[in-house]
Amino acid sequence: MDRFVWTSGLLELNETLVIQQRGVRIYDGEEKIKFDAGTLLLSTHRLIWRDQKNHECCMAVPLSQIVFVEEQAAGIGKSAKIVVHLHPAPSNKEPGPFQSSKNSYIKLSFKEHGQIEFHRRLSEEMIQRRWENMPVSQSLQTNRGPQPGRIRAVGIVGIERKLEEKRKETDKNISEAFEDLSKLMIKAKEMVELSKSIANKIKDKQGDITEDETIRFKSYLLSMGIANPVTRETYGSGTQYHMQLAKQLAGILQAPLEERGGIMSLTEVYCLVNRARGMELLSPEDLVNACKMLESLKLPVRLRVFDSGVMVIELQSHKEEEMVASALETVSERGSLTSEEFAKLVGMSVLLAKERLLLAEKMGHLCRDDSVEGLRFYPNLFMTQS
Amino acid sequence: MAMSFEWPWQYRFPPFFTLQPNVDTRQKQLAAWCSLVLSFCRLHKQSSMTVMEAQESPLFNNVKLQRKLPMESIQIVLEELRKKGNLEWLDKNKSSFLIMWRRPEEWGKLIYQWVSRSGQNNSVFTLYELTNGEDTEDEEFHGLDEATLLRALQALQQEHKAELITISDGRGVKFF
């Protein structure tokens, strides 16, 4: 706190105001001092504090005296603060509020907020160091060069500057790298267009290209994530790959399905299959596309999509509609049930339990009671009772 | 207030207070609501109501069951009643309505039947006489509220069976 000097508060020639904030209190280190309510002004050269009640009480510290600045977040009952670490005062310093201080930092408490913007501007000024380029009267110039007994301080400033330069360099590198990436993305777009046009050409000249080549090309496209319209026409809604995959799935899922009452959600299937595979994991897209082929390939399992959009895999032998009849019995026995209660009773996942109850409602066997207590299903007495 | 009104079984059935998504179920539900509203209003001799009143009345708010029919659904029930001819909005904002447990046409028919039976065609009556006169004490339309009576007579007027007229001490009607 001994770094501050008394000042009139008037700006010098070449000195411009950057930002100001009312309601700022100064702490000498951690100690509260009498300067509890003032306006804090940031100029290109100094940090000035003027007492709100007594405008004559005005002090400043040159920005060149600042080593670095930190933010301290607000807490319960505490305002946000900026901590300003300072160089030791020069020997030729003008008089100020404190002759000496044991602390080498001060805290600025922003009781009326404004801390974020102030900190931003202060940090900017610290980087730009405009005071170095715009000389003002002698008394404001301090710490221009190394002075005896202050080698340590310069070192810190030097490190600070190096860090700043490095940061700027990294920034530049990243932007350049991304430049390349955006160029690559433009190229990728061209590649996709090219593949599409080739695919169309293949479509038109089916005879000239061997089937093997065609299949290879199509699998390249697939690995790039491009769904090939040619393939869809030739093989129905999928490729060889998906067909093989579908057959594989039917094999893998038979036993797990039987264990789970003949029905599983697609997400459960995804997890199960990928866990089993370990490597060469399936993408969700591939799984869905393969599942879409199950029915047409007359495999013992099939894909079913409920009205809500939920997708499940069921055994061909599984008749969800019949399960609805038993669901109705279960609900009737208990008077009413929520999806969670039903799931627990029957030993199903809540997702599938809800789908079953919704299906029962759709079929007119159940009706719903939707209140703050939750969603409950009842036997549909509207239909059964006159 | 509830008097000896017998609530239908639906009133104690929680799903009754949730608008059913299944179309067939909803049809039954709405039919039950309509008949409940009409019988409730008939017993309580309520011929008009505001929507606010309705929302808080035991009709749509079963305190014991802790269920109330949400405003949106109340509007749907009222619209059903309007379509059936049992309800008429009394203002543009649809904040209050006339509720007629018998449609105006039906009342008109009853009144005309009495007029013919008692050989009083070509007679003139004041509105008051019709609903409060000694002669009509045994008739169902005795004590009918004026708003509904007016609509009943307007219905007859449409059929050229009556004509609304103004007489010395108010309004009256001539039957043909």
Side-chain angles (χ1 to χ4, degrees), chain A residues 4 49 127-128 142-144 190 207 255 260 263 270 272 321:
Chain A
F4 276 83
W49 187 92
I127 292 165
Q128 291 183 23
T142 48
N143 239 11
R144 286 302 306 283
E190 287 173 25
R260 288 166 177 70
I263 187 168
Y270 176 80
L272 195 127
E321 278 73 5

Side-chain angles (χ1 to χ4, degrees), chain A residues 7 11 13-14 21 29 34 67 70 93 142 157 161 215 229 248 273 281 297 311 315 342 371:
Chain A
T7 176
L11 297 177
L13 210 61
N14 291 333
Q21 178 61 48
K34 64 180 179 193
V67 178
E70 299 182 278
K93 186 185 83 79
T142 48
V157 170
R161 273 202 218 159
I215 291 175
Q248 230 180 56
V273 166
L281 303 179
L297 290 173
M311 296 200 263
L315 287 170
F342 180 65
S371 71

Side-chain angles (χ1 to χ4, degrees), chain B residues 77-100:
Chain B
V77 172
L78 297 179
E79 176 58 16
E80 274 303 299
L81 286 165
R82 188 199 65 79
K83 281 195 263 188
K84 289 165 75 162
N86 293 99
L87 183 147
E88 203 183 292
W89 289 108
L90 292 171
D91 65 324
K92 250 191 295 189
N93 298 329
K94 295 201 182 174
S95 65
S96 68
F97 55 90
L98 186 67
I99 187 86
M100 304 166 280

Side-chain angles (χ1 to χ4, degrees), chain A residues 361-362 368-370 378 380, chain B residues 14-15 18 20-22 25 67:
Chain A
E361 183 190 44
K362 187 176 171 186
R368 65 168 65 188
D369 164 39
D370 205 347
Y378 284 74
N380 190 352
Chain B
T18 303
Q20 296 299 316
N22 179 312
T25 313
R67 294 283 185 278

Side-chain angles (χ1 to χ4, degrees), chain A residues 28-69:
Chain A
D28 179 17
E30 297 298 325
E31 292 162 34
K32 280 187 186 169
I33 48 179
K34 64 180 179 193
F35 304 109
D36 62 346
T39 304
L40 187 67
L41 299 100
L42 171 68
S43 78
T44 44
H45 294 67
R46 301 178 286 169
L47 199 58
I48 306 169
W49 187 92
R50 174 164 54 230
D51 193 316
Q52 272 168 223
K53 283 170 267 175
N54 174 16
H55 285 235
E56 304 237 323
C57 174
C58 186
M59 58 182 126
V61 65
L63 294 182
S64 54
Q65 286 269 281
I66 299 178
V67 178
F68 73 99
V69 168

